[in-house]
DNA sequence: CTTAGGG
DNA sequence: CCCTAAG
């Protein structure tokens, strides 16, 4: 059993994705949970070669699939969700639930979708079932609330149409976020709340789309208005985007594989954005995703208009490198694993060309290195967090161009003694690298980094972990004096993480942190169960502290409390609830979690009742 | 190893 | 986040 999603790339930026089904039994055997379909993502590195995905990558994709699956439920849940916030959105919310059958799609892709769905089912059997149970037990609310929403959409023009909330204050949101109404400053706040880091990008469109992805955990940025219901985030849809959304719910699963490779393909394809877009189109699925011409056009326009400021570049590179370092790192690792050690010198030429082609985003300077005249990014990019573990692999990757750098770095390491581990290596680089060193180090990365900047603008084609944290096991830790290790950086909890946590608690119950970690945080490898527990404790504190008073003053005076009120509310609900039924015994809760029904199943029901 | 709680 | 005690 198994399925291979294969991506072939060439230097023309064209590629095709083929799905090969080896076996159809996936759907029928629940036992496969323990032995899920193996997706072998064959990725294309900067070299243009095929690279087998690493285990990490496979796992990551599973995580993505899980996300997508969950998102499916988001939308399927829309009716009910809207019902819970009827005070907010009824006048304009409009879930588009019709099936996406009519969409043209190749048989192969459809088959892929089915397979992927199967995979999704298997990946999150518990979540899926419990959610389904919810639907089953609450048909009334869905029906009732859907009715008024079926009317035609007022204001065909998109996102701002659905905005009711006159208050663009993210922290005071009563459940709705309309990015279109936010000022740049407010967008920055939302961004920070969403990703846990500040941004200085002043491009509204970029911010909106970025946040949109962050909030939806997907690459769907077709709408910029969101409704937070409980911990779930529901996109407000409009007619134009209906198709896309349907894809996102049902078929995006199949697109994920494509999108996941997108970054690599992009880094590989030495083409400008127009070509990129058109190159992406051949895939039927992708093309469907782009049924919304406005979106594509919109983004193209945005890309062209903006003159890349230094700030922009810096921000983008930091953000994106952070977000893609995991992928890139593994990419290189896999490259190493497969035994491709020699990077054709051609790549350097390509690199330079790439740089010049993308002059809008990457300022380069000519640098002579080992006899090569190559362009390297001028921006001084120091990887502040998550240093690449496999610098050596990276160096091997560019033997000719960076060989000197390699020895340079190696020497530095030697000077610092052999106790240096891989992680310390980067500290060396960070701490004492000269500008030249750093620059050279990033020569190897520049390929990816440029693609990253590209990604930032072609995000709609790729799955992007909005928080930029998913399955990044590359946590920087420093050995502590007492022998333990300590995380080097605070990793601020992102909104999506918090939502996942709340979701997990609601499903499995507070206290079952390891379960939650395994099931809900499978893709956040750096969050330990203790972290979850701590965060939950903080959330509790926050929710009980803030919610009751809710003074007209500014609870948001603390920038450190970016948790949207709905989530806090829900936290409180769960807390109260679980205080009453603290310990459903282990087997029972396990059953309830996976089998549906049971005492634990009342979790959601209770919450619903209380919330309504 | 997992949780809970204090720091 | 870290640390530790307790199961």
């Amino acid at each position: 059993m198994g399925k291979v999603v294969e991506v072939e790339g060439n230097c023309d930026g064209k590629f095709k994705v083929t799905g090969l089904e080896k076996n159809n039994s996936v759907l029928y055997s629940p036992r496969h949970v323990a032995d899920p379909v193996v997706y072998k993502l064959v990725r294309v590195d900067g070299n243009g070669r095929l690279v087998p995905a690493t285990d990490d990558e496979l796992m990551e994709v599973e995580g993505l699939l899980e996300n997508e699956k969950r998102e499916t439920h988001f939308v399927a849940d829309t009716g009910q969700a809207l019902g819970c916030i009827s005070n907010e959105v009824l006048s304009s919310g409009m879930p588009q639930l019709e099936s996406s059958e009519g969409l043209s799609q190749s048989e192969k892709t459809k088959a892929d979708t089915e397979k992927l769905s199967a995979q999704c089912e298997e990946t999150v059997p518990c979540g899926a079932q419990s959610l389904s149970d919810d639907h089953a037990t609450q048909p009334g609310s869905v029906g009732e609330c859907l009715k008024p929403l079926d009317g035609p959409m007022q204001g065909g023009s998109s996102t701002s149409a659905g905005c009711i909330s006159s208050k663009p204050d993210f922290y005071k949101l009563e459940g709705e976020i309309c990015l279109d109404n936010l000022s740049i400053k407010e967008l920055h706040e939302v961004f920070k709340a969403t990703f846990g880091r500040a941004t200085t990008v002043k491009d509204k469109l970029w911010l909106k789309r970025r946040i949109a992805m962050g909030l939806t955990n997907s690459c769907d940025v077709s709408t910029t208005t969101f409704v937070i219901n409980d911990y779930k985030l529901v996109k407000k849809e409009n007619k134009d985007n209906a198709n896309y959304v349907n894809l996102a719910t049902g078929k995006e699963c199949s697109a994920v594989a494509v999108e996941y490779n997108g970054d690599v393909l992009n880094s590989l394809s030495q083409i400008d954005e127009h070509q990129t877009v058109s190159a992406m189109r051949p895939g039927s699925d992708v093309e469907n995703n782009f049924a919304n011409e406005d979106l594509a056009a919109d983004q193209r326009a945005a890309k062209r208009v903006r003159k890349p400021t230094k700030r922009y570049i810096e921000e983008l590179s930091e953000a994106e490198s952070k977000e893609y370092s995991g992928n890139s790192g593994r990419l290189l690792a896999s490259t190493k694993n497969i035994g491709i050690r020699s990077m054709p010198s051609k790549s350097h030429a390509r690199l330079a060309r790439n740089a010049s082609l993308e002059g809008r985003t990457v300022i380069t300077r000519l640098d002579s290195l080992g006899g090569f005249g190559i362009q390297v990014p001028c921006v001084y990019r120091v990887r502040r967090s998550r240093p690449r573990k496999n610098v050596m692999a990276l160096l091997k990757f560019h033997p000719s161009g960076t060989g000197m750098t390699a020895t340079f770095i190696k020497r530095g390491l030697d000077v610092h003694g052999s106790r240096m581990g891989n992680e310390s290596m980067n500290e060396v680089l960070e701490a004492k690298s000269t500008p030249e060193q750093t620059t050279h180090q990033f020569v190897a990365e520049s390929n990816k980094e440029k693609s990253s900047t590209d990604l930032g603008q072609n995000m709609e084609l790729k799955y992007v972990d909005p928080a930029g944290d998913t399955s990044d096991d590359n946590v920087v830790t420093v050995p502590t004096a007492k022998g333990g290790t300590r995380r080097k950086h605070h990793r601020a909890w992102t909104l999506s993480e918090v939502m996942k946590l709340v979701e997990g608690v609601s499903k499995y119950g507070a206290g079952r942190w390891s379960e939650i970690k395994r099931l809900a945080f499978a893709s956040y490898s750096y969050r330990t169960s203790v972290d979850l527990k701590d965060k939950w404790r903080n959330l509790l504190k926050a929710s009980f502290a803030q919610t009751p008073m809710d003074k007209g003053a500014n609870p948001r005076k603390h920038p450190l409390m970016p948790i949207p009120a709905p989530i806090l509310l829900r936290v409180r609900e769960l807390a109260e609830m679980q205080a009453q039924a603290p310990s459903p015994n282990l087997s029972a809760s396990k059953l309830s979690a996976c089998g549906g029904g049971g005492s634990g199943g009342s979790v959601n029901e209770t919450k619903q009742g209380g919330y309504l």
Side-chain angles (χ1 to χ4, degrees):
Chain A
M1 141 174 115
K3 180 168 175 297
V4 176
V5 175
E6 201 171 61
V7 177
E8 293 178 353
N10 59 34
C11 293
D12 295 325
K14 295 180 179 177
F15 62 91
K16 61 182 177 182
V17 178
T18 57
L20 307 176
E21 293 187 61
K22 302 245 163 106
N23 176 328
N24 274 332
S25 65
V26 199
L27 283 168
Y28 309 123
S29 172
R31 299 204 56 228
H32 285 322
V33 174
D35 184 19
V37 185
V38 176
Y39 290 87
K40 236 178 190 163
L41 283 181
V42 181
R43 311 185 54 172
V44 186
D45 61 38
N47 197 5
R49 303 225 192 169
L50 300 181
V51 176
T54 64
D55 286 348
D56 277 354
E57 283 168 334
L58 295 181
M59 198 187 78
E60 179 163 339
V61 172
E62 288 181 14
L64 304 188
L65 292 172
E66 182 176 354
N67 284 338
E68 297 305 330
K69 182 63 180 182
R70 191 162 290 128
E71 211 168 301
T72 300
H73 286 289
F74 278 14
V75 176
D77 206 46
T78 300
Q80 179 180 335
L82 289 174
C84 300
I85 43 171
S86 49
N87 54 324
E88 278 290 331
V89 292
L90 286 186
S91 59
S92 68
M94 181 169 168
Q96 298 283 342
L97 295 178
E98 59 256 36
S99 99
S100 52
E101 283 309 315
L103 297 169
S104 71
Q105 194 171 23
S106 73
E107 287 303 312
K108 198 183 287 177
T109 311
K110 194 179 285 182
D112 279 359
T113 303
E114 292 169 7
K115 295 280 283 191
L116 282 155
S117 295
Q119 161 77 358
C120 289
E121 293 290 349
E122 295 184 358
T123 308
V124 249
C126 303
Q129 285 207 7
S130 72
L131 279 170
S132 303
D133 288 345
D134 279 357
H135 297 307
T137 53
Q138 307 214 359
S141 63
V142 176
E144 281 182 7
C145 300
L146 274 180
K147 289 279 164 101
L149 300 175
D150 274 317
M153 184 82 175
Q154 323 114 324
S157 166
S158 87
T159 49
S160 57
C163 298
I164 307 171
S165 173
S166 55
K167 282 188 204 169
D169 187 338
F170 183 63
Y171 306 136
K172 287 176 147 186
L173 287 173
E174 311 238 341
E176 177 160 338
I177 305 172
C178 178
L179 301 177
D180 290 303
N181 282 351
L182 302 187
S183 70
I184 288 187
K185 186 185 168 191
E186 289 157 343
L187 282 173
H188 281 178
E189 289 183 5
V190 178
F191 185 96
K192 194 170 181 180
T194 307
F195 298 118
R197 64 167 179 267
T199 180
T200 54
V201 175
K202 44 191 191 301
D203 181 348
K204 250 185 169 177
L205 183 63
W206 187 89
L207 287 167
K208 283 192 289 188
R209 292 173 54 222
R210 189 110 202 119
I211 294 166
M213 292 192 314
L215 293 179
T216 58
N217 246 329
S218 84
C219 54
D220 177 14
V221 293
S222 55
T223 181
T224 48
T225 301
F226 301 92
V227 177
I228 292 185
N229 164 48
D230 289 343
Y231 60 95
K232 291 181 180 176
L233 200 139
V234 181
K235 283 171 279 185
K236 278 197 155 186
E237 308 302 349
N238 60 50
K239 242 190 274 183
D240 288 345
N241 294 323
N243 284 347
Y244 185 90
V245 173
N246 283 331
L247 282 172
T249 64
K251 307 224 163 122
E252 197 170 328
C253 269
S254 63
V256 167
V258 181
E259 290 162 0
Y260 187 65
N261 286 278
D263 55 30
V264 188
L265 290 164
N266 237 7
S267 69
L268 162 86
S269 55
Q270 315 301 314
I271 48 182
D272 64 28
E273 65 253 27
H274 301 279
Q275 287 169 313
T276 302
V277 171
S278 58
M280 285 308 205
R281 293 186 167 234
S284 59
D285 223 352
V286 177
E287 188 166 15
N288 278 332
N289 284 350
F290 269 81
N292 187 346
E293 289 291 339
D294 291 348
L295 182 61
D298 184 17
Q299 275 139 12
R300 273 196 299 268
K303 273 178 283 184
R304 210 174 295 121
V305 172
R306 184 171 51 251
K307 182 183 176 182
T309 64
K310 204 173 177 181
R311 281 305 260 182
Y312 182 85
I313 297 163
E314 201 170 7
E315 179 65 32
L316 212 63
S317 66
E318 181 196 341
E320 301 292 347
S321 67
K322 273 180 79 172
E323 297 186 358
Y324 288 88
S325 60
N327 291 347
S328 307
R330 277 190 291 276
L331 170 61
L332 288 169
S334 29
T335 303
K336 181 181 167 189
N337 289 341
I338 205 176
I340 300 177
R341 292 182 213 284
S342 62
M343 178 90 168
S345 56
K346 178 176 138 195
S347 67
H348 291 282
R350 189 198 292 158
L351 189 63
R353 179 167 146 250
N354 198 9
S356 56
L357 271 177
E358 312 218 353
R360 76 180 189 285
T361 51
V362 177
I363 301 173
T364 63
R365 68 187 168 91
L366 205 60
D367 204 336
S368 146
L369 181 67
F372 281 87
I374 62 179
Q375 287 179 310
V376 298
C378 270
V379 182
Y380 193 63
R381 292 176 183 136
V382 175
R383 187 175 299 277
R384 280 175 221 168
S385 66
R386 287 185 259 160
R388 194 182 305 284
K389 269 183 188 170
N390 44 5
V391 175
M392 299 325 262
L394 194 149
L395 293 171
K396 277 180 189 173
F397 201 50
H398 285 250
S400 52
T402 55
M404 204 173 69
T405 312
T407 57
F408 204 12
I409 294 175
K410 274 179 192 163
R411 198 174 302 141
L413 285 174
D414 291 338
V415 167
H416 274 67
S418 55
R419 67 174 186 84
M420 290 290 187
N422 270 343
E423 69 179 26
S424 318
M425 202 150 72
N426 281 278
E427 295 196 24
V428 173
L429 292 178
E430 281 187 18
K432 53 188 305 282
S433 59
T434 67
E436 197 171 57
Q437 259 184 311
T438 305
T439 306
H440 289 191
Q441 179 194 356
F442 283 102
V443 166
E445 291 185 29
S446 59
N447 206 12
K448 292 182 295 298
E449 302 236 351
K450 273 192 290 292
S451 76
S452 294
T453 57
D454 226 30
L455 281 183
Q457 296 166 337
N458 289 325
M459 283 179 295
E460 67 278 4
L461 281 177
K462 297 147 200 78
Y463 181 89
V464 176
D465 168 43
D469 306 313
T470 298
S471 83
D472 188 326
D473 42 351
N474 205 0
V475 185
V476 191
T477 61
V478 301
T480 189
K482 290 169 239 157
T485 69
R486 174 186 185 141
R487 291 217 249 300
K488 191 175 178 183
H489 299 294
H490 254 306
R491 298 187 68 120
W493 276 70
T494 68
L495 203 54
S496 53
E497 282 177 295
V498 171
M499 292 193 296
K500 270 202 162 88
L501 173 61
V502 174
E503 183 185 4
V505 169
S506 76
K507 269 195 232 162
Y508 311 114
R512 306 174 57 80
W513 305 117
S514 63
E515 288 265 310
I516 298 175
K517 199 247 181 297
R518 280 203 337 260
L519 298 169
F521 273 73
S523 46
Y524 296 78
S525 48
Y526 52 87
R527 296 290 183 204
T528 70
S529 53
V530 177
D531 291 331
L532 302 189
K533 179 216 63 177
D534 283 336
K535 183 57 182 178
W536 180 253
R537 186 168 46 171
N538 289 337
L539 280 178
L540 276 186
K541 208 164 54 180
S543 71
F544 279 119
Q546 184 208 356
T547 306
M549 48 187 198
D550 196 343
K551 292 169 184 174
N554 326 347
R556 71 175 172 109
K557 206 164 189 178
H558 310 269
L560 299 176
M561 165 54 76
I563 311 295
I567 294 185
L568 288 182
L569 261 178
R570 185 166 155 68
V571 169
R572 200 181 47 164
E573 294 286 339
L574 287 171
E576 286 171 355
M577 214 202 54
Q578 307 214 352
Q580 297 164 4
S583 82
N585 75 53
L586 197 90
S587 58
S589 57
K590 246 176 192 167
L591 273 177
S592 71
C594 290
S599 64
S602 67
V603 166
N604 284 317
E605 294 162 14
T606 307
K607 135 223 143 190
Q608 294 287 356
Y611 204 79
L612 284 173

